Amino acid sequence: MLPLREPASAPTGTTFHQMLEKIRYEGAYPTRERAEEVTRAVLEALGRQLTGDERVDLAACLPAEAARLFTSQIPDTHQLTGWGFVKDLAARTGGTPATARWDTGAVLTVVGHLAGRGLLDRILTHLPCGYALLFGRAELVQAA
């Protein structure tokens, strides 16, 4: 009998500092402090959207500091679409939707890499449309 879900990937040993450096590179941020500020905002926003086993498994894949940021938020009762996520992040940070979209992509690309393909597939099936692009993936839609 096959398991119902693939277990979370083993932690890669990536430190929070290494994660921030990857995000700094992906987002072309001028300082580590700016990368950390963006990472904090995006992880907290994602923590308000993701629930269930996927939330637990993703937290296990992240460096401890990142996992604390992600799990410090209580999930909202209403999930936002990908575009709604970006607009909400812009409103909370005082930025524009364009900069929030950039920041989200820079952080979630790295988060998706840490999660691994299997877990990221599961995460995307539990979130509304529009998140695949935020994680750096194509958004595939089935015809009705």
Side-chain angles (χ1 to χ4, degrees), residues 78-112:
H78 174 71
Q79 283 187 316
L80 301 171
T81 63
W83 178 237
F85 180 88
V86 169
K87 291 191 306 186
D88 181 66
L89 183 64
R92 288 176 187 268
T93 61
T96 66
T99 58
R101 170 60 182 94
W102 180 270
D103 295 343
T104 300
V107 174
L108 294 186
T109 297
V110 173
V111 167

Side-chain angles (χ1 to χ4, degrees), residues 47-59:
R48 289 188 290 275
Q49 296 301 307
L50 196 58
T51 61
D53 290 339
E54 290 71 29
R55 178 184 175 93
V56 173
D57 292 346
L58 179 58

Side-chain angles (χ1 to χ4, degrees), residues 46-47 143:
L46 185 61

Side-chain angles (χ1 to χ4, degrees), residues 10 14 17 20 24 34 59 85 91 124:
T14 300
H17 178 75
L20 290 178
R24 181 178 175 191
R34 177 66 181 137
F85 180 88
L124 292 174

